[in-house]
Amino acid sequence: MGMKKTSVITLLILASALVVPAWSGSSTGSITLSSGYLWFGSQSVGLVSAQQTLTVTNNTKYRLAFTSISAETGFSVASTDCAVLQPGQSCTVQVVFVPMQTRNYVSRLNLGTPYSPAAFTAVLYGTGQ
């Protein structure tokens, strides 16, 4: 009996808007992020970049509460007005890039809910120079 050969392909889709299903199999709407990624370009090591904004919109008929909003290595949440989103409401998250080394950074912005610490994510890109 032979072994079946499997290939894994990783696909990165950069879109102008990312629609994240509210709940799997749900027909109640979606949570929309204004972008699936933020690109900060090159930034001098140790210096803070200009802020970039991600808008989160609740297109469901349910209240959405965020329990955590965090950025991973090299990035930081500068400010946010996201706490609880009623149906139809939007909020914003401002992110900055603060590279501590000369290298490329690929990280995530995580928006957590009571159900998942990274229920909604956007990819963060930047280069420390």
Side-chain angles (χ1 to χ4, degrees), residues 43-48 98-101 129:
Q43 179 66 32
S44 296
V45 170
L47 297 180
V48 180
V98 189
M100 299 313 284
Q101 297 176 338
Q129 62 178 15

Side-chain angles (χ1 to χ4, degrees), residues 36-60:
Y37 69 96
L38 295 176
W39 171 251
F40 287 85
S42 295
Q43 179 66 32
S44 296
V45 170
L47 297 180
V48 180
S49 72
Q51 292 183 7
Q52 291 198 34
T53 301
L54 183 76
T55 302
V56 183
T57 304
N58 182 356
N59 297 308
T60 72

Side-chain angles (χ1 to χ4, degrees), residues 1-121:
M1 185 168 191
M3 293 186 68
K4 190 174 188 179
K5 194 172 194 174
T6 305
S7 297
V8 176
I9 299 173
T10 302
L11 178 63
L12 175 63
I13 300 173
L14 302 178
S16 61
L18 176 68
V19 177
V20 183
W23 290 277
S24 180
S26 171
S27 61
T28 58
S30 62
I31 306 303
T32 305
L33 304 181
S34 58
S35 180
Y37 69 96
L38 295 176
W39 171 251
F40 287 85
S42 295
Q43 179 66 32
S44 296
V45 170
L47 297 180
V48 180
S49 72
Q51 292 183 7
Q52 291 198 34
T53 301
L54 183 76
T55 302
V56 183
T57 304
N58 182 356
N59 297 308
T60 72
K61 59 182 180 179
Y62 301 102
R63 175 181 168 272
L64 176 66
F66 292 106
T67 54
S68 64
I69 299 174
S70 63
E72 295 176 349
T73 305
F75 299 86
S76 180
V77 174
S79 65
T80 183
D81 61 353
C82 296
V84 176
L85 281 180
Q86 298 300 329
Q89 285 186 327
S90 294
C91 65
T92 58
V93 180
Q94 288 75 34
V95 180
V96 294
F97 177 41
V98 189
M100 299 313 284
Q101 297 176 338
T102 302
R103 68 178 182 92
N104 291 324
Y105 287 79
V106 179
S107 294
R108 293 187 313 177
L109 173 68
N110 297 309
L111 293 95
T113 67
Y115 308 103
S116 172
F120 308 101
T121 64

